[in-house]
Amino acid sequence: MVRLAMLCNLIMCGIVGYICKHEASPILLDGLRRLEYRGYDSAGICLWNKDQFQILKKTGRVENLRKETLKHDHSGQAGISHTRWATHGGVSDENAHPHISWDNKLSMAHNGVIENFALIKRELEAKGVSFTSETDSEVLLNLIAFLYDAELKQNHATADVALLKALRGALSQVEGTYGIIMTCVDLPDLIIGARKGSPLVIGVGDEENFLASDVTAFAGRTKSVVYLDDGQVATVSGTDFFITTMDDVAISPTIDTISWDIEDAEMGSYPHFMLKEIFEQPMAIENSMRGRFSQDNSTAQFGGLNIAPRELRQIDRILFLGCGTAWHACLIAEYLIEKYARIPVEVEYASEFRYRNSPLDKNTLVFTISQSGETIDTLEAQREAQRKGYRVLGITNVVGSTIARENDGGVFQHSGPEIGVASTKAFSSQCHIAAMLSLYFARMRDMSFTDGKEIAKALKAAPGLIAQALSRADQIAEIAKKYAHHDDFLFLGRQMMFPIALEGALKLKEISYIHAEGYPSAEMKHGPIALISPDCPTVAIALKGEIFKKSLANIQEIRARKGPVIAITDAGKDFPEDLADEVIQLPETHEVNHAPLVSIPMQLLSYYIAVERKCDVDKPRNLAKSVTVE
Ligand code: G6P
C-alpha cells in the first residue's frame, strides 16, 4: 500500500552524469536524448553556476529542457541529469529529478523505489528537515544530506570522507532499489553513484568520465565501460574513478568495450527506430548465428553456456522465463525444443514465477529471455531460481546487463542496440536462437546427423528469407491504410504460430493503442467468434503443413460472419484466391524459420497502422523499453 500511495514510482528512468573536460550541459542533454527511448515524462539537469547548483526541470520532452537550459548561463564542466517516468500522478516540474537537498548542499537523481520512505520522512521532518516534493527520492537525498551534515559537524570529517560515510549510512537504512548519482557543493570535482537493483555504468573517457544508467547515454564519446554491481559505490572524477563495496572495500574494476558503433544507435535515414530495426532483421539474425554452427554443420554450438554436454544430458525439463515480447519468444522455444529435442519445456511469466513457488524437478534447467537484461521481474525470477540452486542460463541482447552478468551462462543475441520500445529485431533473433538451441539439444539426444544438417542448412537461409518478407513492405503499408481506422483486431495462429499471433496482437496494442487479441485459431469458435463483425478484422496465419486445411476452415468461419481477413500464408497458389480480403505471401521454408519470418508482416502491419493513426511509434504512451521496478 505504501508503494501504491507513492507519487514518484519510477519505471525506467534514465540517468546521466558527466565530469569534466568539456562544458557539461550539451553532453548531458545529448545523453538524455539518447535515453529517450527508455520512456519518460519529464527531464531535469543539475549544472554548476559559479559555486552553486543550478537545477532546471521540465515536464515533456528533453527538447523542452534543452530550450530552458539555453536561457541560462552555466559553463560548468560537471553535472547530473535524469529522465523520469512516473507511474502514480505527479508528472510535474517539482517531482522531476535531480532533487536538491534541503540545505542546498547535495543534488541527486534516482532510479528505483525507496519502500520505507514514509517512515524516514517522518523522522527527518521531526528533526527539522523540510521537503519540496512528494517523492521517495527526495527522502533518500535528505537522509544522506542529514547524515553528511552530522559527519562534518560532529566528527569533523573531510567532505569526501563525510559524504561517502553518509551515503553508506543512508543506504543501509533504506529498503528498496536504487541507481543514484549525486553531486555535492563541497566536492565540485566529483560525481558519486551507487546501485542496488537499478543499473549504473561508468563510461571511461579521455579526461572525461560518465556515470549513467545505460551505455547508450555516452556511446558517442567512449566505448570503455565499467558495469557496477549491486552494492557498489563509485566515486568518479574527470580523470579517475574508484569503486568500493558498501563496507568500503576497494574493488578492482574490469573495463569492458562496447561492441557496437554510435551509428547503430542512430536513426539514419529511417523515420523511426522501429522501422530501422525491422529492416535490420536479416543482419540481426545473421549475427545471432555467427560462429554458432559445428564444423560438420550438423548442429549448433554455443560458447557461453558454461555447461558440459554430459551435464546437459542429465536435464529432464527446461523452464523458460520472460516478460512481454520475450515471453512470446519463450513460447517459441517451448514448441521447438519439445518437438525436436523431446525435452519437456515449461514457460512462465517471470513475474508469476517469482511469487508462485512452483515445484521444480531437480534436473530442471532454467532459461531467462530478456532483450535489455534489466527487466526486474525477469532478474528477480532468475535470482529466485538461482537461490534455489538451479542453474540459470540466459538469452540476452545487452552485454553487461545485470541479467547477463548474474546468470550462469547463456547466449548473447548480438542484435545491436534496440531503441524502439516495441521489440522487433530482438524478438526475431530470440526465436532464431531458440531454434538453434533446439537443434543443439536435439543433436545431443536422438536427432540424426542428416536431420541435423538439414535443419542447420535451413537456419542459415533465414536472413535471405526475412529479406524477401521485408520486400512486402509496400503491400503491407497499403493494407494498413485500409484497416487503420478499426479499433479491434483478432490475431489467429495455430501451434507455433499461436505465440506469433499473440506477439502480433501485442505489437498492435503497444504502438497503435488498438484493442487486439491473439488466439489459437481453433479456439476462436470457443468465444472470440462472438467478436467477429465487419468492424473487427482478423489477421490469420495459415501456413502449409498438417493443419493448413483446418486453418483455411477457420478463415471460412470468419468470412461467413462478414469479418474482414488479412491472411499471412506461404501457400502461394494453394491459398484459395477469394478466401481472404488481403493475402500476404511469404516464401516457403522449414518450420524452424517460421517464427521470425511470420513476425515480419506482423511488425510491418503494426508499424504502418501506428503511422496512419499518427501515433508516436518509438515512444508509445505509458510504455517503457525496460521496466526496472516491479
Ligand atoms: C517492457 C517492454 C516490452 C518488453 C518487456 C520485456 O514491458 O515494454 O516491449 O517485451 O519489457 O523486456 P526485456 O528487455 O526483458 O526483453
Side-chain angles (χ1 to χ4, degrees):
M1 286 315 290
V2 165
R3 205 182 296 177
L4 280 180
M6 211 152 45
L7 287 179
C8 184
N9 228 347
L10 303 174
I11 279 208
M12 185 58 171
C13 314
I15 287 178
V16 197
Y18 173 79
I19 194 164
C20 85
K21 195 165 152 188
H22 300 281
E23 189 184 329
S25 67
I27 294 173
L28 289 171
L29 288 164
D30 193 44
L32 290 183
R33 187 183 57 77
R34 289 182 196 288
L35 294 186
E36 282 188 305
Y37 76 98
R38 294 160 70 114
Y40 71 104
D41 47 44
S42 46
I45 193 165
C46 172
L47 299 161
W48 286 90
N49 191 359
K50 303 194 178 78
D51 294 336
Q52 288 192 337
F53 291 141
Q54 178 170 54
I55 297 208
L56 304 166
K57 306 198 266 193
K58 278 273 156 216
T59 55
R61 286 288 154 89
V62 169
E63 184 53 22
N64 299 351
L65 179 67
R66 193 185 67 80
K67 285 186 187 143
E68 184 63 28
T69 310
L70 288 177
K71 293 182 198 158
H72 299 264
D73 172 34
H74 43 69
S75 47
Q77 293 175 319
I80 61 175
S81 59
H82 189 259
T83 48
R84 172 179 185 252
W85 207 119
T87 53
H88 290 87
V91 179
S92 65
D93 291 353
E94 294 74 41
N95 285 344
H97 298 210
H99 290 288
I100 190 156
S101 62
W102 98 104
D103 57 0
N104 293 327
K105 285 222 156 180
L106 304 180
S107 171
M108 187 184 84
H110 167 226
N111 184 9
V113 175
I114 304 302
E115 293 178 356
N116 58 341
F117 80 105
L119 179 67
I120 297 172
K121 186 171 184 176
R122 274 200 300 279
E123 287 171 1
L124 287 172
E125 280 173 335
K127 289 171 183 159
V129 175
S130 59
F131 291 82
T132 54
S133 81
E134 290 164 294
T135 64
D136 53 335
S137 312
E138 194 190 8
V139 176
L140 172 58
L141 172 64
N142 276 341
L143 178 60
I144 301 169
F146 186 82
L147 297 176
Y148 175 60
D149 189 54
E151 283 296 330
L152 290 178
K153 287 190 180 136
Q154 289 159 22
N155 299 336
H156 308 290
T158 55
D160 54 342
V161 172
L163 185 59
L164 286 170
K165 233 173 143 185
L167 176 68
R168 291 196 176 94
L171 294 179
S172 70
Q173 291 183 43
V174 296
E175 289 160 20
T177 56
Y178 50 80
I180 53 171
I181 51 171
M182 50 190 293
T183 53
C184 172
V185 277
D186 301 328
L187 297 162
D189 299 330
L190 289 182
I191 47 176
I192 291 173
R195 73 159 277 180
K196 182 184 156 207
S198 291
L200 212 54
V201 55
I202 303 174
V204 185
D206 174 20
E207 289 179 51
E208 60 178 9
N209 288 318
F210 296 81
L211 248 183
S213 49
D214 182 331
V215 296
T216 322
F218 51 74
R221 301 191 73 90
T222 178
K223 287 186 153 199
S224 301
V225 297
V226 177
Y227 298 101
L228 294 187
D229 285 327
D230 273 357
Q232 294 185 343
V233 176
T235 312
V236 180
S237 71
T239 50
D240 217 343
F241 63 91
F242 300 97
I243 303 172
T244 55
T245 63
M246 286 295 165
D247 302 326
D248 203 12
V249 177
I251 302 280
S252 52
T254 309
I255 301 187
D256 288 306
T257 307
I258 307 173
S259 59
W260 43 269
D261 294 315
I262 186 66
E263 294 75 39
D264 296 331
E266 299 284 356
M267 215 140 59
S269 55
Y270 286 92
H272 297 102
F273 277 111
M274 183 178 174
L275 191 63
K276 175 182 179 239
E277 288 157 8
I278 288 174
F279 275 88
E280 280 173 348
Q281 286 174 106
M283 186 47 80
I285 299 276
E286 191 71 61
N287 288 344
S288 73
M289 291 193 287
R290 250 177 245 291
R292 289 192 171 145
F293 286 99
S294 66
Q295 268 189 345
D296 67 10
N297 280 315
S298 72
T299 187
Q301 59 186 17
F302 299 93
L305 293 185
N306 299 337
I307 177 166
R310 191 179 295 252
E311 272 182 276
L312 267 182
R313 204 63 191 79
Q314 308 304 317
I315 298 300
D316 290 335
R317 187 168 285 275
I318 304 179
L319 171 66
F320 275 88
L321 302 168
C323 301
T325 290
W327 184 76
H328 296 152
C330 293
L331 295 174
I332 297 294
E334 175 185 26
Y335 182 90
L336 289 167
I337 293 173
E338 288 198 339
K339 174 158 183 182
Y340 292 103
R342 311 298 302 156
I343 305 172
V345 175
E346 276 176 67
V347 175
E348 268 210 65
Y349 284 113
S351 53
E352 289 294 305
F353 170 79
R354 190 182 167 202
Y355 292 106
R356 250 193 65 197
N357 199 20
S358 28
L360 291 185
D361 187 82
K362 71 175 168 20
N363 293 327
T364 301
L365 175 66
V366 180
F367 258 96
T368 52
I369 303 188
S370 173
Q371 186 286 129
S372 64
E374 298 294 350
T375 301
I376 196 78
D377 288 327
T378 312
L379 174 61
E380 290 298 346
Q382 172 169 297
R383 286 175 176 164
E384 176 69 6
Q386 284 177 317
R387 193 190 56 75
K388 289 180 168 165
Y390 291 94
R391 191 191 292 259
V392 183
L393 305 181
I395 300 176
T396 315
N397 190 32
V398 179
V399 178
S401 59
T402 313
I403 288 176
R405 281 181 302 128
E406 288 192 12
N407 62 24
D408 301 301
V411 187
F412 281 119
Q413 300 182 224
H414 304 304
S415 309
E418 188 177 71
I419 309 287
V421 165
S423 185
T424 51
K425 63 176 179 175
F427 173 69
S428 56
S429 132
Q430 287 160 355
C431 294
H432 203 65
I433 289 169
M436 286 191 279
L437 277 172
S438 73
L439 170 63
Y440 176 68
F441 291 137
R443 284 286 290 128
M444 210 171 269
R445 296 183 177 227
D446 300 328
M447 185 181 277
S448 71
F449 175 84
T450 318
D451 288 351
K453 261 195 123 158
E454 189 199 320
I455 291 186
K457 190 172 168 212
L459 287 168
K460 286 182 193 170
L465 294 160
I466 288 181
Q468 282 184 51
L470 288 168
S471 70
R472 299 277 171 197
D474 289 347
Q475 181 203 359
I476 296 168
E478 286 306 313
I479 295 174
K481 271 192 194 128
K482 230 165 125 181
Y483 294 88
H485 63 282
H486 289 282
D487 289 326
D488 297 285
F489 273 74
L490 205 55
F491 286 74
L492 301 179
R494 285 188 89 155
Q495 305 208 346
M496 191 170 57
M497 290 301 101
F498 166 49
I500 299 301
L502 289 175
E503 175 59 11
L506 180 66
K507 284 281 92 77
L508 194 64
K509 274 184 263 204
E510 281 182 316
I511 58 166
S512 306
Y513 321 137
I514 291 175
H515 166 237
E517 296 195 38
Y519 266 94
S521 316
E523 276 296 301
M524 183 194 61
K525 55 188 174 295
H526 300 297
I529 198 162
L531 296 174
I532 303 293
S533 80
D535 294 328
C536 177
T538 297
V539 179
I541 308 167
L543 301 185
K544 277 175 103 171
E546 274 177 295
I547 47 166
F548 181 55
K549 290 220 167 87
K550 301 241 187 292
S551 303
L552 297 186
N554 292 140
I555 297 178
Q556 278 292 5
E557 287 160 10
I558 301 165
R559 298 275 287 173
R561 285 155 187 88
K562 302 202 168 24
V565 174
I566 302 163
I568 299 176
T569 184
D570 61 354
K573 289 197 170 63
D574 291 339
F575 190 91
E577 228 169 73
D578 292 331
L579 186 61
D581 300 85
E582 321 291 337
V583 181
I584 301 168
Q585 290 281 358
L586 294 174
E588 205 179 335
T589 174
H590 195 289
E591 179 191 39
V592 289
N593 291 329
H594 281 170
L597 185 70
V598 180
S599 299
I600 304 291
M602 298 283 191
Q603 295 165 355
L604 286 168
L605 189 66
S606 299
Y607 171 77
Y608 287 119
I609 288 180
V611 170
E612 284 298 316
R613 291 170 73 109
K614 306 209 174 348
C615 296
D616 193 345
V617 175
D618 285 334
K619 298 178 205 84
R621 73 180 181 209
N622 307 339
L623 290 180
K625 180 69 182 156
S626 158
V627 180
T628 59
V629 295
E630 284 184 72

